Amino acid sequence: MRHARDGAVTVTDTANQILLLRGRSEPPEAANPDVTWGPRALDGVSVPTRNGQRLQIGLPGPADDRAVTAVRPTLRVFPGVDTDTDLIAQTTTTGVRLITVLHGPDAPTEFRFALGLGEGLSLDAAPSGGYDVVHDRYGATVGRFHRPWACDALYRPITAAYDLDGSVLVMTVGHREADALYPVIADPFYAR
């Protein structure tokens, strides 16, 4: 008999293999008591900034917004967040990684992460393709959404980019144009 947890572990294993092959530049999964996860994708995750404020990140989720599968305290799997799409959320020592797993060409190309910024915080586009969380009064960067990356099952790079729509960070993944072999992994990563 196959359980939902078995599918979550398989998806997680695939994503972890790709992360390992990317090398030491990827921060490892680790416990972080400052990161607070909601019970559903739409509840998202609350993460700290360097100046002690909080940032709320809403995760893409289905209309019925099923509960999360907690594989371990630092790893959550949100199956079926969209057509042919799962989301794996890892806690790191400095923030969160939101690994988006696309299982086929019917998966969307756009993923929306609603942001709740603390008072006096805003987002500025960074030259790298990421977004800095900036303290408006002092101009200091207090957090960062690093430039997203994506690759297919053969580890070939797939284009991934952010855009900002009001207070929503939009990640676009060009998997349909790339003749990708699935699954495709896209990796938004926030760190304080």
Side-chain angles (χ1 to χ4, degrees), residues 97-182:
R97 161 173 277 117
L98 305 170
I99 303 166
T100 310
V101 182
L102 315 176
H103 297 285
D106 292 336
T109 58
E110 185 177 280
F111 301 91
R112 301 173 67 81
F113 299 89
L115 302 178
L117 298 171
E119 188 175 330
L121 299 179
S122 61
L123 291 176
D124 280 345
S128 66
Y131 273 89
D132 289 342
V133 180
V134 176
H135 189 283
D136 293 332
R137 182 171 179 189
Y138 302 109
T141 298
V142 296
R144 175 170 291 146
F145 287 93
H146 292 265
R147 179 181 61 85
W149 60 264
C151 66
D152 74 359
L154 293 177
Y155 313 110
R156 297 179 296 193
I158 304 290
T159 58
Y162 285 139
D163 197 8
L164 198 57
D165 181 11
S167 63
V168 176
L169 190 63
V170 181
M171 179 181 67
T172 304
V173 180
H175 65 100
R176 291 182 187 153
E177 297 82 32
D179 193 28
L181 182 62
Y182 295 91

Side-chain angles (χ1 to χ4, degrees), residues 14-24 26 151 153-155:
T14 301
N16 281 335
Q17 287 173 358
I18 289 173
L19 290 172
L20 286 173
L21 288 171
R22 281 189 50 90
R24 297 179 188 266
E26 298 300 323
C151 66
L154 293 177
Y155 313 110

Side-chain angles (χ1 to χ4, degrees), residues 30-37 46-48 54 73-74 91-95 192:
N32 185 338
D34 295 329
V35 173
T36 308
W37 294 97
S46 176
V47 293
R54 305 291 297 173
T74 56
T91 302
T92 68
T93 55
T94 59
R192 64 174 162 191

